[in-house]
Amino acid sequence: MLHRSTVLIAKQYRAPSEPRKSHILVHVLNNHYFSAVANPPNQKNPGSDVFMKRALELASRSAGNASPNPMVGAVLVHNGRIIGEGFHKEHGLAHAEVNCLDNVSEADKQLIPESTMYVNLEPCAHHGKTPPCALRLVQEKVKEVIIANADPFEEVDGKGFEILKSHHIHTEQGIMEKEGLWLNRRFFCFHQSKRPYIVLKWAQTAEGYFAPLDRSRYQITSINSRQLLHKWRTEESAILVGYQTALNDNPELTARMYSGRQPLRIVFDRTLQLPLTHNVFNNAAPTWIVNDRLDKEEGNVRYVQILFNKNPLTQILEKLYESNKLSLIVEGGAVLLESFIREGLWDEARVFTGQASMTEGVHAPLLTGFKKAFESELGGDTLNVYVNKASKYKYITGMEL
């Protein structure tokens, strides 16, 4: 299927037993990837792409909930028929392989030793909050395991393959590897680059302005775009703004139009001038106030002290890595966004161009070193998504946000 950038405007459907996802209309980009094959089928094992695609679709359902774990889906197949499937729903809960095996009906359990499991990430080999998945596969005597990506986490990193092979379970790795890499780009970036995956986000007018000259709050985008942004916030570990944005806009920096996890809020406030009455100090989500004077915690607010004359961006990324935060979305202001661009510290940029107009204003950041991923229309706004040319994690056509 050719890539189509469309918008779905609909109420979120939920079965009676499912948690409520949103209390209002939500506007999300249509994800066509999982309904059609974007790449030619695997020639060595022509059925693999179909089942791995299903594993990836299942994995994507845990966006925002699995972190700091990866998103993983698993499908168990016997003679071309799916007899079990599952995904890792939330950090701390059962992993995809376990849910998949537990999903097999009593009548089909006898078929497990003759079946193939398709899973998008190497089965874990360590005891964390749950037992090793590789050992469960050995226990169930699964015949074969087809895997998209090896797991870069040092506690796994090939050990899952070793366990399976040592028990004569055939393994194959690399089926839809690029798709798996894009899906779990936050996880891979965190473990391979030792920093969170960085998303830059801003809105600009058709004239290219970011804000009024007096930096007063000015709504550029539609409610559709704002709802999508709130969905994005539930999918990232942390959200960052600069002092002027926090002072002038008084944002809450939470997801209020889409239910899900709240990100860690981070504000640069070097000399601790931000009024304590501002929204970032409320109890809606934990907050870091990055400054050069104080290092302590007060309730849900942590004052994080750094040296502002020694690359503050790198320091905050190091602290996020130490705190096991897989991703960061930077929402402004323009000076802060330009700092990340100048340092090459970004992986993905999401830029809204709204219908609002200004005759003069603060110029929007100038993105460099990018490759355009896709463009989509959203409630009168235009969304352009870019990836850093230097990024290891390449956008896959159709795997939209």
Side-chain angles (χ1 to χ4, degrees), residues 74-76 97 100-101 115-119 137 142 144-146:
V75 177
L76 192 64
E97 299 92 327
C100 177
L101 290 165
S115 300
T116 298
M117 179 171 285
Y118 293 83
V119 58
L137 293 171
V142 174
E144 181 181 36
V145 181
I146 308 297

Side-chain angles (χ1 to χ4, degrees), residues 241-378:
V241 298
Y243 170 75
Q244 288 295 336
T245 297
L247 179 66
N248 297 329
D249 291 356
N250 191 18
E252 193 159 341
L253 302 181
T254 57
R256 301 177 302 284
M257 296 181 178
Y258 196 90
S259 64
R261 283 187 184 179
Q262 297 294 351
L264 168 68
R265 303 178 293 192
I266 308 174
V267 179
F268 276 115
D269 182 12
R270 181 172 183 171
T271 57
L272 299 177
Q273 297 297 306
L274 199 63
L276 296 178
T277 54
H278 268 41
N279 288 328
V280 292
F281 292 101
N282 66 26
N283 293 320
T287 301
W288 284 6
I289 302 297
V290 183
N291 69 97
D292 65 2
R293 304 186 177 193
L294 199 60
D295 196 355
K296 70 172 186 177
E297 287 192 38
E298 291 183 351
N300 72 317
V301 177
R302 176 183 169 188
Y303 292 89
V304 179
Q305 188 174 25
I306 66 169
L307 300 173
F308 275 76
N309 59 348
K310 291 188 177 180
N311 203 331
L313 301 187
T314 299
Q315 291 179 69
I316 200 62
L317 293 177
E318 289 173 351
K319 290 187 179 294
L320 285 168
Y321 179 76
E322 293 167 2
S323 298
N324 219 21
K325 301 300 182 183
L326 264 58
S327 62
L328 172 69
I329 184 167
V330 185
E331 293 197 14
V335 173
L336 181 61
L337 287 161
E338 287 167 350
S339 297
F340 276 91
I341 295 169
R342 186 168 56 251
E343 296 293 329
L345 289 172
W346 67 280
D347 298 286
E348 191 176 325
R350 304 171 182 178
V351 183
F352 288 106
T353 300
Q355 293 183 325
S357 181
M358 292 184 200
T359 56
E360 60 180 2
V362 177
H363 287 283
L366 180 63
L367 196 64
T368 58
F370 64 86
K371 181 178 180 180
K372 186 172 179 178
F374 68 88
E375 178 180 315
S376 208
E377 298 300 315
L378 188 65

